Amino acid sequence: MAEVVIVPDQATGGDIAARRIASLVHAKPDAVLGLATGSTPLPVWSALVALRLDLARVGGFALDEYIGLPEGHPESYRAVITREVVEPLGLDPALVHVPAEGLSANALAGAGEAYEAAIRAAGGVDLQILGIGRTGHIGFNEPGSSLASLTRVKTLAQWTREDNARFFDGDVARVPQHCVTQGLGTILRAGQLVLLAWGESKAEAVAAAVEGPVTASVPASVIQLHRDVTVIVDEAAGSRLRYADYYRQAWDQRPEWDRR
Ligand code: PGA
């Protein structure tokens, strides 16, 4: 079962996730992180900055990237990761990877394979940070994604493009239609998963992912197949969880040896 942590605010949740990363890096200074973009992980990065760790040897693999934005576009996930993660945390840009980088449109068919190979060559992702979409997507694995999928080109769902229009001056037409995303099978290979969600708009997706059946219709439900998952939600995002009382009890009473 996933460990579910219901926190009073995003800062507390970000701090818990940052401490997970800190203990990983303490044990393994060249650890590899799976990096999510979007608004959700921002409190994790700021909590991590505050811990002032030396992350110069830490590697990173972004979950996904848009197809079709001009190189250097500020909303490309390469640019977002550079601005929000690499620079503030002092990561080595040479160790941080984004899918399909530098590939021309007709080379995209091999982008998934190449990314999987790069992840393998780096020794795999040790800790994957995840947000969740309103539809239950993780990465850009929209409903219907194979639970065994690996990195590949996908078409973005219209509702995801609408959600992301806020990063493109509110103009959904400017949000790309395609992406390359790690698959659900790729995500399951990470050593541990930390999924975060804030706000009422995520409550239904969180409950379906954590407590619903494992189904491609709710891609995030695949986390139930992983042995080491922490789900960190604020009160609003956790408001539809049926077993919230038990999760709170389990967190408050977690054994001393399990306080990562
Ligand atoms: P958000 O997106 O962090 O911007 O809410 C999450 C997601 O779509 O995975």
Side-chain angles (χ1 to χ4, degrees), residues 178-197:
H178 298 99
C179 64
V180 179
T181 181
Q182 286 190 29
L184 298 173
T186 318
I187 291 168
L188 284 183
R189 289 175 181 169
Q192 59 174 301
L193 307 181
V194 178
L195 185 148
L196 305 107

Side-chain angles (χ1 to χ4, degrees), residues 103-126:
L103 293 183
S104 65
N106 53 13
L108 282 171
E113 286 275 305
Y115 205 57
E116 293 290 334
I119 294 173
R120 274 197 305 274
V125 169
D126 293 299

Side-chain angles (χ1 to χ4, degrees), residues 139-158:
F140 276 141
N141 295 281
E142 301 288 16
S145 293
S146 160
L147 300 179
S149 51
L150 300 178
T151 306
R152 71 231 183 275
V153 174
K154 287 289 281 183
T155 303
L156 291 173
Q158 185 59 19

Side-chain angles (χ1 to χ4, degrees), residues 52-64:
R52 305 172 69 88
L53 301 175
D54 178 2
L55 300 176
R57 292 175 58 203
V58 167
F61 283 87
L63 271 174
D64 42 23

